Amino acid sequence: MQHKIYFTPGPSQIFYTVNDHMKEAFQKDIMSISHRSATFQNLFAEVKADLKSLLNVPDNYDVYFISSANEIWERIIQSLVGKTSHHFVNGSFAEKFYQFATDYQKESTITRMSDGEDFDHLEVPENTELISVTLNETSIGYAFDAERIYQLREQYPDKLIAVDGVSAFPAVPFDFSKVDTAYFSVQKCFGLPAGLGVWIVNPTCYQKVEQLRKSGVVTGSYHDLLQLKASGDKNQTPETPNVLGIFLLGKVVRDMLFRSARLIQNDTTYKATLLYQAIEKSTILSPFITHKINQSKTVVVAKCENGNSDILARFLEQGWVIGKGYGSYKNDQIRIANFPVHSKEQIEQLSDYISKT
C-alpha cells in the first residue's frame, strides 16, 4: 500500500517525530498522571516557556491550553467584549468569529471585503472595544499583511487587538507585542492531532475582564479568563486537560526550537514560492489570491479550470492528499498545506508535478 503524504490544511500530515514522542508518552504514563501533580505542573511550565521562546512572546504575556481555537473565540467574546467588537473579514473563519459575537448579542461591526481582495481601509467605529484580525485565512489562502496589523496598534492604542494565527504560527513571523491576544490550534503548523488550542494574552486583557465584571457583565464560568489565570499561575488548568496533547506539543516545540523559528520561516517562504511559481506555470490552475503580499505562505489556494475532481484524483495517484476548496469553493479550488512538517524535497516534487499539469 502506497504511503500517503497529507497536504491537507488541517488536520494535516503529523509531524515526523510524533511517533517517537507517543512511545515516550506511553513509557512515562503521561495519560495517567494527575493534572494536579508536580509532574503536570512541570510539564505545563516547560511547554509554556518553550512556546514563548519559539514564538518570541513577551515575558509578561501568559499562555493557556484550551480545547480548540473555536472555544477561544467564545472565551474572547465572553471575557473581553462588553458590547462591541469589530471584525475584519476576508474568509469563512473570520466570518465565523463575527457570528460568535452576534450569537452572544454583541453590537459587533464588520469590515467585509470580497474574497481574495485586500482591505481598502482599517477604520473601526469609535466605540469598538476589541478588533479581530485573521492573520492567515485558511479557507481561501488570504494572508493579512502583518505590518497593517501593527498599523492598527498605532491607530487604536486604547482598543484590544485579537489575532487568529491558527494556520500561521510558527511558520509566519509575528510581533506579539503589537497585539493583546492571539491564539491557534495545533493540527495545522504544529503537525499534531486536533483537540488542543493555545491562547496567548497580555496584562491588558486581565484589566478588561475585571472592568467588565465590576460593571455586572457575565464573563464566563469555568473558563473565565481570571479562572484560567488563577489556575495558570500554579501551572495548572481549571479542569482535567488534554495532557497528552500538551505533552506532544511540548515535544514538537522542542524539535522546532532545535531547528529555530527563523529557519522554519525561511523554509516556509522558499516552499511557498515554489508552489506559486508552479501554479503560475500550470495550464489548468491559477492562484486564487492575486496580490502577492496577501498570498498565504502556509495554505496555497489555486482555482481549477474545470473543477477539482480530476486533479485531486491525479494527485492521489502520486500518493499526495490535497485539500479541496472550502465552503462554496469546495469543487472549484484546491488548498495545499505548506507546513513545517512538509519538507523542501516533498514540496519540490509536488511543485514539479503541478507545473506540468
Side-chain angles (χ1 to χ4, degrees), residues 285-339:
L285 298 175
S286 59
F288 179 64
I289 306 296
T290 57
H291 299 101
K292 291 191 180 300
I293 198 168
N294 298 125
Q295 289 178 337
S296 169
K297 291 182 172 65
T298 57
V299 182
V300 175
V301 178
K303 296 183 291 185
C304 305
E305 186 175 293
N306 297 308
N308 60 21
S309 59
D310 178 63
I311 193 165
L312 287 172
R314 290 161 61 185
F315 281 130
L316 190 57
E317 289 175 358
Q318 304 298 316
W320 302 323
V321 183
I322 306 294
K324 296 180 180 180
Y326 189 88
S328 62
Y329 300 111
K330 179 180 180 180
N331 299 317
D332 303 315
Q333 295 181 353
I334 58 170
R335 292 183 298 157
I336 304 171
N338 174 31
F339 297 152

Side-chain angles (χ1 to χ4, degrees), residues 5 36 70 87 89 93 109 117 181 238 258-259 274 280 304 310 337 339 349:
I5 301 173
R36 301 296 180 228
N70 280 18
H87 301 254
V89 171
F93 292 102
T109 52
E117 295 299 318
T181 181
F258 181 77
R259 291 183 64 194
L274 291 183
E280 293 280 3
C304 305
D310 178 63
F339 297 152
Q349 290 175 3

Side-chain angles (χ1 to χ4, degrees), residues 63 77 96 98 105 124 174 210 220 237 239 249 267 280:
V63 176
I77 294 300
K96 286 182 180 180
Y98 170 69
Q105 299 182 349
V124 305
F174 190 76
E210 288 172 349
T237 56
E239 76 300 289
L249 174 61
D267 283 353
E280 293 280 3

Side-chain angles (χ1 to χ4, degrees), residues 81-85 105-108 127 129 208 212 217:
V81 178
K83 293 183 178 179
T84 62
S85 56
Q105 299 182 349
K106 303 299 182 182
E107 299 170 7
S108 296
N127 64 344
E129 299 166 60
K208 178 65 176 182
L212 291 177
V217 175

